[in-house]
């Protein structure tokens, strides 16, 4: 195994601007690396495709963080339900942080809202939202594509799917951004605690309102599943709603933003897509591979002593799968650092793999295709309004890979 790394490298601004060079250098030394975390324990980082894909589906790598040696429960920071008082509802017992049979139960329940037929039925409304957002930009000739298009499109869609009132969407955007951001300062921690408390209180209020007066929306359906059929607990209900809201738009925001940047910095590919719009589905898959919205998979914990490519991973260790590294592995993809919207058999890991494959992948793909088709059709001459070197990324220690802004003109 290569020399032990300090986990601080993920906070380096240079790494944030281009993590792929670092991942490539690590991959040359080996697929698995020990990383000294802020807790003083060794985490393990997987940076190749073969072992990364296998790790994502390995039942020995648990999602329930009670298996972690430094888990909140072992520190006494949680209640009996596993819910953290001051962190994020994303750390509660939800789809991302559970294993079978709990994961099977929760996924079966939530997947009813994400069937291919149900998602396809949303196409006209998604198109209407995309056109309305472009209408708001088109007359000016310039915009922040992230703030005015990539952010609002998926958050409107997921809020309408859940049944969240339009006037509350901006609050959710603020809470979501806070909860997925790295906690680097005391002020960051304070904002995170406040966002956590606010989102819990909000959903508790929405749940109470739907109990009193059910509607034809997903919140009402989940409340019914909780109260009438006892398919999930009250903490699981709040955690499920929080996860659906945040995961339901964060990935698509970054798919649109990252994909738009990739196109605008590859004029040949942009021209090809304009000339051959039938390539749009493969283009979206290539955006997901080339500059995926999630840089590292959510945490996994070794439920037993194990080995990955000969590297000993002790029980309780945290294992990080670098999706961005796996999807640029030259042993899995020809010319991996080249954007190629004609790429066939694009078996990327942007949505994960195994039983935790992203529940909302169908929705993200549909939103992405509509978003890019609408931009190319409605905004001819779309181009960056600043040098790419002036753009900044908002990952900085988190699993998210996304831009802070994307100024364009047209």
């Amino acid at each position: 195994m290569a020399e032990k790394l300090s986990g601080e490298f993920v906070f380096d601004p240079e790494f944030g601007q281009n993590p792929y060079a670092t991942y490539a250098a690590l991959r040359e030394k080996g697929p698995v690396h020990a990383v000294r975390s802020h807790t003083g324990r060794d985490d393990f980082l997987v940076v190749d495709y073969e072992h990364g894909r296998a790790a994502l589906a390995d039942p020995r790598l648990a999602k329930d963080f009670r298996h972690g040696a430094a888990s909140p429960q072992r520190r006494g920071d949680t209640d009996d339900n596993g819910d953290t008082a001051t962190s994020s509802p994303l750390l509660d017992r939800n789809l991302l942080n559970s294993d079978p049979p709990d994961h099977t139960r929760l996924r079966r329940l939530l997947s009813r809202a994400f069937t291919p037929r149900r998602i396809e039925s949303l196409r006209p409304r998604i198109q209407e939202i995309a056109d309305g957002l472009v209408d708001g930009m088109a007359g000016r000739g310039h915009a922040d594509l992230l703030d005015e298009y990539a952010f609002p499109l998926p958050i409107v869609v997921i809020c309408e799917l859940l049944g969240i009132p339009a006037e509350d969407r901006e609050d959710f955007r603020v809470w979501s951004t806070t909860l997925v951001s790295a906690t680097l300062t005391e002020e960051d921690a304070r904002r995170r605690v406040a966002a956590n408390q606010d989102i819990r209180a909000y959903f508790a209020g929405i749940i109470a309102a739907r109990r009193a007066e059910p509607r034809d929306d997903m919140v009402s359906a989940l409340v019914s599943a909780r109260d009438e059929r006892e398919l999930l607990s009250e903490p699981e209900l709040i955690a499920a709603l929080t996860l659906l809201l945040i995961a339901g738009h964060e990935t698509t925001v970054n798919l649109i933003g990252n994909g738009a940047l990739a196109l605008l910095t590859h004029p040949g590919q942009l021209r090809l897509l304009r000339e051959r719009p039938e390539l749009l589905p493969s283009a979206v898959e290539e955006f997901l591979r080339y500059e995926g919205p999630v840089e590292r998979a959510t945490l996994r914990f070794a439920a037993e002593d194990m080995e990955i490519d000969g590297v000993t991973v002790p029980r309780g260790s945290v294992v990080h799968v670098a999706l961005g590294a796996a999807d640029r592995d030259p042993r899995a993809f020809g010319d991996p650092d080249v954007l190629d919207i004609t790429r066939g058999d694009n078996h990327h890991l942007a949505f994960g793999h195994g039983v935790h494959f992203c529940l909302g992948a169908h929705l993200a793909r549909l939103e992405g295709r509509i978003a890019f088709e609408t931009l190319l059709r409605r905004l001819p001459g779309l181009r960056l309004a600043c040098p790419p070197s002036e753009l900044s990324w908002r990952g900085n220690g988190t699993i998210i890979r996304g831009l802070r802004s994307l100024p364009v003109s047209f």
Side-chain angles (χ1 to χ4, degrees), residues 79-92:
D79 60 24
D80 292 337
N81 291 315
D83 304 320
T84 54
T86 59
S87 62
S88 165
L90 293 178
L91 295 178
D92 293 350

Side-chain angles (χ1 to χ4, degrees), residues 329-351:
D329 186 343
R331 288 179 288 273
F333 302 95
D335 295 322
D337 295 321
V338 173
L339 181 74
D340 179 7
I341 64 171
T342 69
R343 190 182 297 272
D345 189 25
N346 196 336
H347 43 278
H348 62 75
L349 299 177
F351 290 124

Side-chain angles (χ1 to χ4, degrees), residues 14 43 54 62 69 72 78 87 91 104 116 127 171 199 281 286 290 332 353 375 378 404:
E14 290 187 12
D43 293 354
T78 66
S87 62
L91 295 178
T104 308
Q127 185 64 66
D171 287 336
I199 203 167
E286 180 67 346
Y290 181 80
H353 176 64
L375 283 178
R378 297 283 310 275
R404 295 185 185 278

